[in-house]
Amino acid sequence: MNNGFITAGHAIARQLVNTAQQHPKRIAAALAVLLMTAGGGAFAVAQLGPNPADMPVHTVEYSVPSLASEFSIADLVDGPGFSLYRTDEVRGNDTPESLLRRLGVADPAAAAFIRSNAKARAAIIGKAGRQITAETTNTHELTALTVRWAGESSEVFQRFTIRKNGRQFDTITEFVPLSRGTRLAGGVIRSSLYASTDAANIPDNVANQMADVFGDKIDFRRALRPGDRFSLVYETLEADGEILRSGRLLSAEFRNNGKTHEALWFQPSPKVKGDYYNFAGDSNQRTYIGSPVKFTRVSSAFAMRLHPIHKTWSAHKGTDLAAPQGTPVRTVGDGVVTFAGVQNGYGNVIYIDHGNKHETVYAHLSRIEVKQGEKVTQGEEIGAVGQTGWATGPHLHFEFRVAGDQVDPLAMVANSETNQPINKQSRPAFDALSKSMRLALNTQMESLAGE
């Protein structure tokens, strides 16, 4: 019997298939009508339901214990508050009020104290460049004001603090050792050396050292090319984690017009004088540096000339270097000051004995900063350009004497010997330092490659 049902089912299915194949349009129309009718029915059923807006609304209230029941808003408002900190630099035209305002302090009593207290005035008012930090309450009342500064050659810094004690202010002066750190920097030449170092936030003191180290290899006034690159590592002197000033240039690499110049500061021990070397260990430093005045021009060379005052032809037995009044003058080599004072047409003049019968003379100075008998080191500032004595304008008259006879000073400086290379005893320490510095400089150079 089951076989009969199956056979009949198969027959019906074949008939439906044949009918669908013979009348496809009629089958499609019938299905559409069926679906529309079913949809309409569904729509009619939905419309017969109740409107939610007409249904009754019941409000249920239930008390839930707060998770913050142990805390009170009053406790938060009346709590100890918090401290605000801000650091800036003192400006030359600052008043107590303008300085505190810039530091975010709203405390008339603190301003009045700075104005009336002699120690506070001496430490803050008119001391442009000194670092200053304010600590305040959350209502901007002063808690503490700290000023830090250090001298150029000092190994310590001064910390002057004004601290609020109730309604009074106390002052504390401390002398604290400076900590030393290092910074890696670099730049690309677009126009001038100093424009590039300024753009890279490199201190002028460090830029000057780099110019001195490479000064006999690169003419920074004429030989720089756009796209030249440099990288350097320099020392920082820090107070309470804040940089107070820059220190020594520790290493540098300068790529100028296809040539690479290197410098690495190495001092085997505190008792031995340090020097700059290339990474191979050869000294970069000559007995005498290139010029006693940075970035200058020769206004009168070592030759015959018409004297600008006496109007007579005579041998000019020195070199005149034109520079603005007050430009620093430095000694070209280590030595001892044998004379510092006023002398005839030289005006303010300094004589320095360098040994080996070598002596240099620096004349027409506006000021003298060394004394007779004082030892000086290469590059040390000894005075400033002026026009004292027989001079028609500000310049430095520079002489080089060998056994008492004047010789061409720039030729003597240019042909002076370089210092000795690294010795065998210091070689392992030098090689280790050279390897680490080279890695740092190369990393910085690679970062500048795309600029």
Side-chain angles (χ1 to χ4, degrees), residues 200-248:
N201 294 318
I202 297 172
D204 285 347
N205 172 48
V206 176
N208 289 339
Q209 292 180 67
M210 183 169 63
D212 287 343
V213 169
F214 295 130
D216 62 339
K217 301 176 179 66
I218 304 171
D219 184 345
F220 286 101
R221 296 181 62 195
R222 299 180 180 87
L224 293 183
R225 300 290 184 270
D228 286 352
R229 290 179 286 157
F230 60 88
S231 61
L232 51 87
V233 177
Y234 64 95
E235 182 183 53
T236 58
L237 301 176
E238 303 175 2
D240 298 335
E242 300 285 347
I243 297 176
L244 283 189
R245 59 183 174 87
S246 58
R248 186 185 300 278

Side-chain angles (χ1 to χ4, degrees), residues 309-392:
I309 293 178
H310 302 303
K311 305 301 180 183
T312 58
W313 283 94
S314 60
H316 186 222
K317 297 186 177 181
T319 297
D320 289 346
L321 303 171
Q325 180 90 6
T327 301
V329 173
R330 54 190 181 170
T331 173
V332 296
D334 299 343
V336 178
V337 177
T338 56
F339 182 83
V342 180
Q343 188 181 76
N344 302 324
Y346 283 144
N348 294 330
V349 63
I350 298 171
Y351 288 73
I352 297 178
D353 181 5
H354 302 283
N356 296 324
K357 298 182 180 181
H358 288 186
E359 183 181 52
T360 53
V361 181
Y362 311 81
H364 305 315
L365 302 172
S366 61
R367 67 175 185 270
I368 294 174
E369 298 182 2
V370 291
K371 297 178 181 179
Q372 185 172 336
E374 184 176 339
K375 290 184 178 180
V376 292
T377 58
Q378 185 183 79
E380 181 178 342
E381 188 173 321
I382 58 175
V385 169
Q387 58 181 88
T388 56
W390 294 342
T392 57

Side-chain angles (χ1 to χ4, degrees), residues 269-344:
S269 71
K271 296 181 180 180
V272 178
K273 183 180 177 182
D275 200 352
Y276 283 102
Y277 301 84
N278 61 23
F279 290 134
D282 300 319
S283 177
N284 279 355
Q285 201 157 342
R286 295 181 179 274
T287 306
Y288 304 108
I289 58 177
S291 172
V293 180
K294 299 176 183 177
F295 298 103
T296 186
R297 64 180 177 84
V298 175
S299 57
S300 182
F302 185 83
M304 292 293 294
R305 67 163 186 177
L306 180 65
H307 195 281
I309 293 178
H310 302 303
K311 305 301 180 183
T312 58
W313 283 94
S314 60
H316 186 222
K317 297 186 177 181
T319 297
D320 289 346
L321 303 171
Q325 180 90 6
T327 301
V329 173
R330 54 190 181 170
T331 173
V332 296
D334 299 343
V336 178
V337 177
T338 56
F339 182 83
V342 180
Q343 188 181 76
N344 302 324

Side-chain angles (χ1 to χ4, degrees), residues 4 44 131 134 152 158 242 338:
Q131 187 184 92
E152 285 299 318
Q158 280 188 252
E242 300 285 347
T338 56

